[in-house]
Amino acid sequence: MLKIFKLALKNIFNKPLSLALSLVLFALGSGLITALLLLNRQLEDQFVRNLADVELVIGAKGSPLQLILCNMYHIDNPTGNINLAETKPFLNPKHPLIAKAIPLSLGDNFKSYRIVGTTPGFLTMYNAGFEQGRVWENDYEVVIGKSVSDQTGLKLGDEFDSSHGFMEDDDLIHEQHIKFKVVGILNPAGSVIDQLILCNNKTVWLVHEHEEVEETESDSTEIDNHLKHSDEPINPAPVIYTTEELLELHANAVQELVSNEEKDITSILIQFRGRNYQTLNMQRSINENTNLQAATPAIEINRLFVLMGVGIEALRALAILIMIVSGLSIFISMLNSLKERKYELALMRAMGASRWQLLTLIVAEGAFIAIVGYFIGALMGHAAVALISGYMQDSYRYALDGWVFLPEEGILLVACIVLGKLAALLPAIQAYRTDIANTLTQRG
Amino acid sequence: MTMMLQAQGLSYSYDSQNSISLPDFHCRKGDRLLILGNSGSGKTTLLNLIGGLLRIQNGSITINGQDLKSLNNNQLDAYRGKNIGLIFQKSHFVQSLNVLENLLLAQQLAGIPVDKSRAMHLLKSLNIEEKYLKKPSALSIGEQQRASIARALINKPALVLADEPTSALDDHNCLEVIKLLEKAVAEESSTLLIVTHDQRLKDHFPNQIAL
């Protein structure tokens, strides 16, 4: 049997042009499907992981999807600001429906990693623990996610200036008299928190107020003096917080926050005590009766999946079509080559090969083309995702892994082999039926 | 001496109208027999029957005591691979393999251990040993025919059947190929049966049957 497979390999490489055509088509199809599988799976995983038990997001009116994308996935711009006076009731720890309400203040970035002003309660939402240092306690102190630390090289105790907005822009860097100071680094969580720089809400206000002040006053060092960092080194040993401790810090932070009624925040992430008709009513009444907007992450993300799904389905159909065409190309090129190869097949019979060996030979040729095509395609698919991942990381700070392998890829390989064998089956049956006497000798 | 090949009462019909009757004949081990006949005389049919490429309808063929009729299709394929060397008017090869590999494939398909030195020895005695790494399509017609003689002999067949081995060749090549064929067959002490209408071969083979 081995010699038959070896011969099958030699045969397919004997016709480099038609092999190349079949391979290119096969690789295109399987590569596209591989890439789609990877993208679909990883995007869904990322989105679902980042839901983080947030059941409602309250923010300014606008697109609900945008509200979710901005405040939970940190990829879109905010819909606007909301006034603390108006949102105060939701932050009240005694609210009958709300278990946890986390205020967010967005607006700055460092090297396009978003700076999120929030309370320590945010850490409990994402189950984040410390790898080094501690939670932010004073203004301008920040805790950074693992990816931020890895990608920007920020270390514990480092200080930096932020940049206004969400994209890195040298012209928009705040010339701060007080710099942000890293006081903690989080453990890798595999969710969006890895990509964030966290501080208290007040710091975000301060950065922007300074900007306004600086425009009018030439000398503002005085104001900053009382805010200067202490130069005490930060103990790198990670502080282990219990959820209760973080929630207590959270409660204090919220209390301080709501005393600034004139200030704005970007949104509130909400976890309910229990989901029932009252919570549903609450969402509807916010949307109908206030200037605020409330959106349910799970619903919006589902909507997004459905929208993406249409595109992905279309691409998948296209990929399957390409695969079928590639199967057809294998079929046609084999059928064509069989006309000239019928002598050598008859000859092999005359030399002692059985009909089954010829059938095996031709089917193996189809399968080998499929297997080689699949692996080229799979390599291209993974490389493409790795490439897209680089782009995504640059512009959205979301990381995809091009080199993870899914069980579905095994199924795809099997499907490819079946397709290759099917394409070769009819030519193989023809080979099986070769009339050796008539082919090799002219009757006389 | 016992008979190496014996054909008795053979007739064959491709369709219900035409039936070809073939003469009885026999030959001994090491014999060289020329079967001469014009188109339509049934000489290729005879060769196909002896080579096991066609199943016997009427009559019998016995090679070294083995009745071909008693073998089933797979046994016949295997028997042919081991015991009968075939040379055709046009030489056919597996195009993706070089000359040497084509010879080795003949050994493999017959289930005989691969013997590269034997293949090289044969190619040498047929004066084409320097072409062993070439693809068959890169050889001249005469060289191709010599390579197919080497392939026919590689498994030391008891019987070599040649179907018009020289009719595609010019006079010079014809003479050379037939000399080499005779020499090689003699070396292997195989029995040679040539089916042809090529009158040039008449003088070489005293042992002849006319159809």
Side-chain angles (χ1 to χ4, degrees):
Chain A
M1 247 330 120
L2 197 67
K3 66 196 176 229
I4 292 292
F5 290 140
K6 233 171 109 179
L7 182 59
L9 274 179
K10 290 217 170 193
N11 281 341
I12 63 172
F13 285 107
N14 195 42
K15 297 231 171 268
L17 270 182
S18 70
L19 174 69
L21 176 67
S22 300
L23 284 184
V24 164
L25 284 169
F26 226 98
L28 262 181
S30 64
L32 204 50
I33 292 180
T34 303
L36 285 176
L37 279 174
L38 285 172
L39 281 179
N40 205 19
R41 166 60 68 87
Q42 293 197 36
L43 285 177
E44 281 199 25
D45 277 359
Q46 290 253 14
F47 273 107
V48 169
R49 205 178 309 139
N50 288 333
L51 279 178
D53 298 330
V54 176
E55 289 170 297
L56 199 69
V57 178
I58 297 176
K61 286 245 190 275
S63 148
L65 184 57
Q66 189 186 346
L67 183 68
I68 301 297
L69 288 178
C70 168
N71 291 293
M72 293 195 54
Y73 298 100
H74 301 275
I75 46 181
D76 209 341
N77 291 325
T79 46
N81 289 337
I82 51 178
N83 189 259
L84 263 177
E86 204 170 355
T87 54
K88 212 169 149 185
F90 304 113
L91 292 170
N92 186 343
K94 295 197 177 74
H95 194 288
L97 299 176
I98 295 170
K100 229 185 256 178
I102 314 288
L104 300 189
S105 302
L106 305 177
D108 270 44
N109 77 85
F110 173 66
K111 295 195 171 162
S112 84
Y113 287 95
R114 291 193 177 190
I115 296 170
V116 179
T118 185
T119 66
F122 191 79
L123 298 174
T124 66
M125 282 278 198
Y126 289 89
N127 292 321
F130 282 84
E131 186 178 273
Q132 283 179 17
R134 54 170 172 82
V135 76
W136 60 96
E137 283 164 6
N138 303 306
D139 302 338
Y140 290 101
E141 287 185 346
V142 299
V143 166
I144 60 177
K146 186 63 186 161
S147 303
V148 181
S149 152
D150 288 346
Q151 298 294 320
T152 63
L154 279 179
K155 294 183 300 291
L156 210 62
D158 280 359
E159 296 184 7
F160 62 92
D161 286 330
S162 70
S163 172
H164 186 66
F166 298 109
M167 288 298 161
E168 189 177 9
D169 187 340
D170 288 338
D171 296 337
L172 291 175
I173 290 182
H174 296 292
E175 290 289 331
Q176 289 166 219
H177 294 270
I178 303 175
K179 293 176 185 298
F180 289 97
K181 185 176 186 182
V182 180
V183 299
I185 297 172
L186 297 174
N187 281 324
S191 61
V192 70
I193 199 167
D194 291 347
Q195 327 272 351
L196 298 178
I197 298 172
L198 305 171
C199 60
N200 65 16
N201 297 75
K202 195 174 157 201
T203 302
V204 176
W205 301 336
L206 287 170
V207 172
H208 291 96
E209 274 163 18
H210 271 281
E211 209 170 43
E212 287 157 28
V213 172
E214 274 169 33
E215 275 161 17
T216 49
E217 290 179 33
S218 57
D219 191 281
S220 57
T221 36
E222 240 175 278
I223 323 170
D224 295 331
N225 279 342
H226 67 288
L227 287 167
K228 274 267 190 247
H229 291 301
S230 65
D231 285 332
E232 269 176 52
I234 299 144
N235 185 359
V239 179
I240 313 288
Y241 297 92
T242 63
T243 310
E244 287 71 28
E245 284 170 329
L246 284 174
L247 285 178
E248 200 185 315
L249 288 169
H250 163 73
N252 296 340
V254 168
Q255 209 167 17
E256 195 193 324
L257 192 72
V258 292
S259 60
N260 301 290
E261 284 198 355
E262 76 291 352
K263 299 282 192 197
D264 288 338
I265 57 172
T266 310
S267 65
I268 304 175
L269 308 181
I270 284 174
Q271 218 174 69
F272 290 117
R273 293 185 196 274
R275 214 131 162 66
N276 53 35
Y277 75 97
Q278 280 178 301
T279 60
L280 283 175
N281 274 344
M282 183 177 133
Q283 179 177 0
R284 198 173 51 227
S285 101
I286 290 172
N287 285 331
E288 285 174 6
N289 306 328
T290 68
N291 287 327
L292 305 174
Q293 176 187 214
T296 307
I299 291 173
E300 296 308 319
I301 288 316
N302 255 333
R303 236 157 48 102
L304 185 66
F305 283 162
V306 171
L307 288 174
M308 281 198 325
V310 175
I312 284 178
E313 277 309 308
L315 277 174
R316 188 174 296 169
L318 183 71
I320 289 173
L321 202 70
I322 294 175
M323 300 264 313
I324 291 171
V325 171
S326 68
L328 216 61
S329 111
I330 292 178
F331 171 72
I332 290 169
S333 71
M334 279 199 153
L335 215 57
N336 266 336
S337 75
L338 221 56
K339 276 179 206 146
E340 49 184 285
R341 281 178 61 194
K342 91 181 172 196
Y343 297 108
E344 74 174 58
L345 292 171
L347 182 81
M348 287 177 64
R349 285 291 315 282
M351 291 194 297
S354 69
R355 288 171 184 275
W356 282 107
Q357 280 177 307
L358 293 199
L359 189 87
T360 311
L361 175 72
I362 305 294
V363 169
E365 286 177 22
F368 280 147
I369 294 174
I371 291 170
V372 176
Y374 166 80
F375 278 109
I376 295 175
L379 194 71
M380 287 189 342
H382 281 280
V385 173
L387 217 73
I388 293 171
S389 163
Y391 162 77
M392 287 253 306
Q393 193 147 19
D394 282 344
S395 41
Y396 296 113
R397 297 295 167 210
Y398 266 86
L400 296 174
D401 190 350
W403 305 106
V404 293
F405 294 88
L406 304 174
E408 287 91 330
E409 290 180 71
I411 299 172
L412 182 61
L413 173 59
V414 173
C416 282
I417 295 173
V418 169
L419 182 63
K421 284 184 172 179
L422 269 181
L425 195 60
L426 211 65
I429 289 171
Q430 250 188 35
Y432 180 91
R433 288 190 180 148
T434 305
D435 180 345
I436 29 179
N438 269 344
T439 308
L440 289 175
T441 58
Q442 280 126 7
R443 236 193 284 166
Chain B
M1 209 183 204
T2 53
M3 289 305 145
M4 193 271 151
L5 169 67
Q6 208 155 10
Q8 258 172 340
L10 288 173
S11 69
Y12 194 89
S13 49
Y14 289 94
D15 49 58
S16 51
Q17 273 96 50
N18 301 307
S19 179
I20 309 169
S21 285
L22 298 159
D24 295 353
F25 72 95
H26 54 80
C27 53
R28 277 185 286 268
K29 185 173 161 63
D31 274 359
R32 283 152 224 191
L33 186 63
L34 195 67
I35 299 174
L36 278 164
N38 292 319
S39 307
S41 59
K43 58 185 192 314
T44 297
T45 305
L46 180 62
L47 184 114
N48 282 338
L49 287 170
I50 299 171
L53 301 178
L54 285 177
R55 296 309 312 241
I56 296 164
Q57 290 173 342
N58 298 302
S60 72
I61 294 171
T62 315
I63 298 172
N64 271 344
Q66 172 68 58
D67 185 0
L68 292 190
K69 232 177 169 176
S70 68
L71 300 170
N72 69 23
N73 282 337
N74 280 340
Q75 287 169 329
L76 195 62
D77 286 339
Y79 183 83
R80 179 176 55 236
K82 266 201 187 107
N83 299 292
I84 299 174
L86 290 159
I87 301 164
F88 303 100
Q89 178 177 5
K90 269 192 204 150
S91 34
H92 302 299
F93 297 91
V94 176
Q95 294 299 332
S96 62
L97 302 179
N98 64 34
V99 171
L100 177 64
E101 288 168 332
N102 262 286
L103 296 193
L104 300 182
L105 181 69
Q107 293 182 322
Q108 291 170 335
L109 288 176
I112 287 167
V114 170
D115 184 350
K116 202 166 154 184
S117 64
R118 169 159 175 80
M120 289 309 292
H121 169 77
L122 274 172
L123 289 174
K124 194 171 179 189
S125 71
L126 289 159
N127 293 336
I128 44 167
E129 84 265 31
E130 74 277 13
K131 308 272 184 179
Y132 76 106
L133 283 180
K134 288 244 161 50
K135 288 277 170 71
S137 54
L139 268 55
S140 74
I141 303 281
E143 286 166 341
Q144 286 184 12
Q145 202 55 297
R146 278 184 269 160
S148 63
I149 292 170
R151 185 181 55 206
L153 291 167
I154 187 94
N155 294 336
K156 303 185 179 169
L159 180 62
V160 174
L161 297 178
D163 177 32
E164 304 278 10
T166 53
S167 54
L169 305 176
D170 58 35
D171 287 353
H172 171 71
N173 268 312
C174 168
L175 202 67
E176 198 185 343
V177 163
I178 216 71
K179 272 184 181 163
L180 286 169
L181 175 61
E182 279 200 271
K183 182 184 126 199
V185 167
E187 253 177 47
E188 308 299 333
S189 54
S190 301
T191 304
L192 176 63
L193 201 71
I194 299 176
V195 163
T196 190
H197 69 272
D198 192 342
Q199 300 296 325
R200 292 175 294 187
L201 300 184
K202 256 184 163 173
D203 305 334
H204 281 272
F205 300 94
N207 225 342
Q208 296 177 4
I209 296 173
L211 291 182

